[in-house]
Amino acid sequence: MNNAIAVTGLRKAFGDNVVLDGIDLDVAAGTIFALLGPNGAGKTTTVQILSTLITADGGQMRVAGHDPDREPDAVRDVIGVTGQFSAVDSLLTGEENLILMADLRHLGKAEGRRRAAELLEQFDLVDAAKKTAATYSGGMRRRLDLAMTLVGDPSIIFLDEPTTGLDPRSRRAMWQVIRQLVAGGVTIMLTTQYLEEADHLADRIAVLDHGTIVAEGSSAELKRLVPGGHIRLQFIDPGHFEAAARIFSENSRDDDSLTLQIPSDGDVGSLKALLDRLERESIKVGELSIHTPDLDDVFLNLTGRPHAEQER
Amino acid sequence: MTTLNIAATDSATMLRRRLRHFIRYPSMTVQLAGMPVIFLLLFVYVFGGTLGDGIGGMSGGRGEYVNYVAPGVILMAVAAVAQGTAISAAMDMTEGIIARFRTMAISRASVLTGHVLAAMLQTLFSVAIVVGVALLVGFRPNASVVEWIALTGVVAMVTFALTWLTVALGLVSQTVEGASNLPLPLVLLPFLGSGFVPTDSMPTGLRWFAEYQPFTPIIETIRGLLVGTHIGNDAIISAAWCAGIALLGYVWAKKLYNRDPSH
């Protein structure tokens, strides 16, 4: 089995609202796959279908070689799911939550306790083990949530927006954990609306928008889809703006904000040449910024709207 | 493990989970036992003197009425816990952990079975308190050990049936508020039966309803076991009602739990 997850033509609608309009996905075993998209793109629905929570309307699916609709228990045996909303029992302690999972995975009493202790250690929850989850901070709940997912040593893990709402430090810690899991041979499908997260973690990224996949590839491949980098110059004086626009003929100009975008790969040599030229012509620049293409550009380019509205 | 073994193991795990909830959040359990106790005291001390005279003639009074009303209040305690179960099932379904259970290879109905089994223990606790208070205020049952054991069986049977029904009511109501209102008729049904006054004192239409509604034969069975009144067919009719209600509740609850959760 080469692909841990294989999906073709997956469709799902809630009433008249088409949420997934025929998507294809292939996730190689032992890799991190990111589904990237804004709210409402269909990310969560995809995870819910593949993790047997809801059924699909159409399409072929294989998760670890089994069809989630027809053999849900075979799929459930090998997957772990950490949903968008905290899936811990608030009235139980951290330790009790983990032992509950061990009991439901039928690990046996001694093995269950051993695994719970191990995970409490691994997720830095030993001090909080005897406290109810209701008293945990957001970051601690997420860690417990993921630890609970790992109790039965699943080979495929779904993480639906694993870092949404976390502070930057907890987020980095979560990334670290995710990388360790993959190093241990696990396959991960995660959803995120943070480009940075997909960029940092994923081997492959699928950009999902309005229920269709608009692009798929590695982070580098996706960045190649958009126009190259540029240097952005903003002027205070309209005269200087006009003068600069004449010198750098290959540009895109915005007359309202008096800015020029000059194509550049951002290396020091071409930047120095540009500054020297401005110096010689005595053109005063208000602001200069260097722009290398990132997934934001990919997103804008593919979906026709900026991603900024979804950023924190 | 066989399917049946897995179902039993998972249900036991879910029962332990619910019992931990009771320990962490005891006020609900106390409140559910307190409500029938208050009704018992209210009816014995406020209405009991007059109602007892009506039931027992010249020899009646408060002492007679305690013996008459205790079975109805016991059933009320059962209904109160059943109502509480609708609320806790509805609350539980809003927890993210339920979605996690759905993605695990566990016995599908075990979450619901855990609710029902825990409610049965909670009911035994409530009924023990109600019987204890009733004894303190003058209740004098003449039940033998066998009759007490039979009474426990009847209470367990009724609880099993009513809580499967209220688990379904808890799942069908979209909100926790709805879940607390839907089973309200259950708590009122002992009044519209032989729980507090004999049905032959009621006007014709109401009497017809009171005699044929399921709580009346159950109350008469409990009364017969405790104070030795005639049981007759009531035990069989009670068992039939309970079997029907349990089956309906179980099938309905399971169907509701298995439907696609709205995303």
Side-chain angles (χ1 to χ4, degrees):
Chain A
M1 180 189 68
N2 198 19
N3 282 335
I5 301 171
V7 172
T8 45
L10 183 62
R11 284 184 296 105
K12 179 75 180 176
F14 294 105
D16 290 339
N17 181 19
V18 176
V19 181
L20 293 176
D21 197 7
I23 67 167
D24 302 342
L25 297 170
D26 282 300
V27 182
T31 63
I32 303 183
F33 187 92
L35 269 181
L36 175 67
N39 284 331
K43 306 188 296 289
T44 298
T45 304
T46 307
V47 167
Q48 286 179 335
I49 291 171
L50 294 176
S51 65
T52 77
L53 201 52
I54 60 176
T55 55
D57 292 345
Q60 268 90 51
M61 297 180 277
R62 281 284 177 277
V63 176
H66 302 285
D67 183 330
D69 278 358
R70 264 178 254 138
E71 311 157 274
D73 275 341
V75 172
R76 287 169 188 153
D77 258 334
V78 296
I79 63 167
V81 187
T82 294
Q84 201 168 340
F85 302 103
S86 170
V88 307
D89 191 318
S90 308
L91 290 175
L92 302 186
T93 67
E95 189 180 29
E96 286 166 350
N97 265 298
L98 290 168
I99 289 176
L100 173 67
M101 288 301 116
D103 288 345
L104 292 174
R105 295 273 193 187
H106 311 122
L107 293 188
K109 201 166 177 181
E111 171 61 12
R113 287 182 180 278
R114 193 196 61 74
R115 187 74 176 118
E118 190 177 88
L119 286 164
L120 287 169
E121 183 77 39
Q122 187 187 341
F123 285 85
D124 195 18
L125 290 166
V126 175
D127 292 339
K130 306 280 184 201
K131 292 186 188 132
T132 57
T135 65
Y136 283 19
S137 69
M140 287 162 79
R141 280 178 84 93
R142 284 298 170 97
R143 294 208 300 276
L144 176 60
D145 203 327
L146 187 53
M148 286 165 73
T149 301
L150 299 182
V151 167
D153 293 313
S155 60
I156 300 173
I157 297 177
F158 295 93
L159 302 172
D160 194 7
E161 305 206 1
T163 65
T164 299
L166 290 188
D167 61 66
R169 212 178 124 204
S170 305
R171 206 168 155 203
R172 303 238 156 222
M174 187 61 84
W175 289 356
Q176 188 63 35
V177 170
I178 293 170
R179 283 200 203 93
Q180 280 167 5
L181 286 174
V182 171
V186 168
T187 307
I188 292 181
M189 175 184 266
L190 65 86
T191 74
T192 183
Q193 34 179 323
Y194 304 129
L195 304 155
E196 190 196 355
E197 186 159 285
D199 205 353
H200 266 80
L201 288 175
D203 297 302
R204 291 189 78 74
I205 300 166
V207 183
L208 196 59
D209 189 46
H210 289 117
T212 55
I213 288 175
V214 291
E216 206 222 297
S218 67
S219 168
E221 282 168 356
L222 291 181
K223 284 174 189 171
R224 250 177 264 138
L225 293 175
V226 294
H230 58 262
I231 292 169
R232 188 169 170 277
L233 300 173
Q234 193 186 11
F235 299 89
I236 296 158
D237 185 316
H240 288 252
F241 171 66
E242 285 300 336
R246 272 194 304 276
I247 300 167
F248 304 106
S249 51
E250 193 195 320
N251 65 55
S252 65
R253 55 185 285 172
D254 179 353
D255 289 15
D256 290 335
S257 60
L258 302 182
T259 50
L260 285 181
Q261 289 190 357
I262 299 150
S264 158
D265 52 10
D267 72 284
V268 179
S270 64
L271 180 62
K272 185 168 186 303
L274 180 128
L275 290 173
D276 288 345
R277 189 81 197 272
L278 290 169
E279 177 85 31
R280 275 202 304 280
E281 305 287 341
S282 305
I283 296 172
K284 285 211 160 48
V285 177
E287 216 176 278
L288 178 148
S289 58
I290 302 167
H291 202 86
T292 48
D294 59 19
L295 285 176
D296 252 318
D297 300 296
V298 178
F299 205 85
L300 174 62
N301 210 45
L302 292 171
T303 67
R305 52 174 196 277
H307 185 266
E309 67 213 67
Q310 274 93 35
E311 284 283 14
R312 273 185 287 196
Chain B
M1 273 197 282
T2 64
T3 315
L4 201 65
N5 262 337
I6 290 175
T9 309
D10 292 344
S11 299
T13 303
M14 293 302 186
L15 169 63
R16 283 201 297 280
R17 165 175 181 261
R18 288 294 302 149
L19 292 179
R20 287 218 167 84
H21 289 175
F22 292 160
I23 294 166
R24 299 277 147 71
Y25 186 55
S27 62
M28 180 94 150
T29 306
V30 171
Q31 198 186 321
L32 291 177
M35 200 272 274
V37 167
I38 288 168
F39 270 87
L40 176 70
L41 297 177
L42 186 72
F43 270 82
V44 169
Y45 286 108
V46 178
F47 309 121
T50 309
L51 287 173
D53 288 345
I55 289 164
M58 294 308 284
S59 67
R62 193 159 282 128
E64 183 75 16
Y65 191 64
V66 180
N67 285 334
Y68 184 82
V69 81
V73 179
I74 287 173
L75 191 59
M76 191 180 227
V78 175
V81 174
Q83 189 190 10
T85 304
I87 298 169
S88 43
M91 272 170 69
D92 208 19
M93 292 304 132
T94 65
E95 292 281 327
I97 196 159
I98 296 297
R100 183 191 285 284
F101 292 152
R102 287 179 201 270
T103 62
M104 295 177 73
I106 58 179
S107 163
R108 201 68 175 154
S110 60
V111 185
L112 308 178
T113 312
H115 273 280
V116 170
L117 295 177
M120 290 178 74
L121 293 177
Q122 206 175 10
T123 303
L124 287 180
F125 170 79
S126 273
V127 168
I129 289 190
V130 166
V131 170
V133 174
L135 290 172
L136 286 177
V137 301
F139 178 44
R140 292 297 169 258
N142 58 13
S144 66
V145 174
V146 174
E147 283 171 321
W148 279 110
I149 292 170
L151 174 76
T152 311
V154 171
V155 168
M157 172 183 81
V158 176
T159 308
F160 184 78
L162 287 188
T163 43
W164 269 116
L165 179 66
T166 52
V167 164
L169 292 176
L171 297 189
V172 81
S173 42
Q174 300 294 319
T175 61
V176 174
E177 288 80 7
S180 78
N181 291 332
L182 267 184
L184 207 58
L186 289 181
V187 183
L188 294 176
L189 275 182
F191 289 100
L192 306 176
S194 65
F196 292 84
V197 293
T199 51
D200 52 20
S201 65
M202 297 175 185
T204 317
L206 185 59
R207 186 168 83 197
W208 186 87
F209 175 79
E211 278 168 5
Y212 289 99
Q213 68 117 324
F215 277 27
T216 296
I218 295 168
I219 291 169
E220 289 308 317
T221 306
I222 295 175
R223 186 170 283 142
L225 290 170
L226 283 171
V227 296
T229 52
H230 181 64
I231 295 179
N233 287 334
D234 284 333
I236 304 291
I237 297 171
S238 302
W241 271 113
C242 287
I245 293 169
L247 188 67
L248 168 81
Y250 175 77
V251 171
W252 190 21
K254 211 175 158 187
K255 185 163 178 268
L256 289 168
Y257 183 74
N258 279 339
R259 72 185 165 182
D260 268 11
S262 48
H263 81 140

